[in-house]
Amino acid sequence: MIRNYPNPFNGSTKIQFEIPMEAALSLQIYDLLGREVFSAGKMCFGAGTHAIAVDFNGLPSGIYICRLESNDFELCTRMLHLR
């Protein structure tokens, strides 16, 4: 499971996710045209719930797609940024 809060958000948001086992994950955020606007390289997380803060200052209002992936799975969610 992956979600961000608050949603919609203004300025920054926290992306919260839950994984069932230890995994090396990468997080990317894309605009609706498919351009990457944020990327966090591979990070290792243990099983459980985790959160990553993301700053959207300087980015326009709109819908963004957050993608969390590892070798075993991929999770995606939509986020609404309002300025």
Side-chain angles (χ1 to χ4, degrees):
M1 179 178 122
I2 183 173
R3 68 183 183 102
N4 74 298
Y5 60 90
N7 193 17
F9 63 95
N10 179 2
S12 65
T13 187
K14 286 190 179 181
I15 298 168
Q16 183 177 358
F17 56 94
E18 185 176 339
I19 55 174
M21 61 189 157
E22 183 177 326
L25 304 173
S26 63
L27 174 76
Q28 296 91 22
I29 299 175
Y30 300 93
D31 64 15
L32 286 181
L33 296 176
R35 296 178 295 210
E36 188 177 276
V37 297
F38 176 84
S39 178
K42 288 272 187 183
M43 300 173 284
C44 190
F45 292 95
T49 303
H50 306 278
I52 297 174
V54 180
D55 183 11
F56 272 73
N57 289 319
L59 291 174
S61 296
I63 296 173
Y64 291 85
I65 306 297
C66 178
R67 182 174 141 200
L68 183 71
E69 68 176 327
S70 78
N71 292 337
D72 300 324
F73 61 88
E74 179 180 321
L75 302 171
C76 293
T77 190
R78 289 184 312 229
M79 305 184 305
L80 179 60
H81 178 231
L82 299 175
R83 289 187 73 170

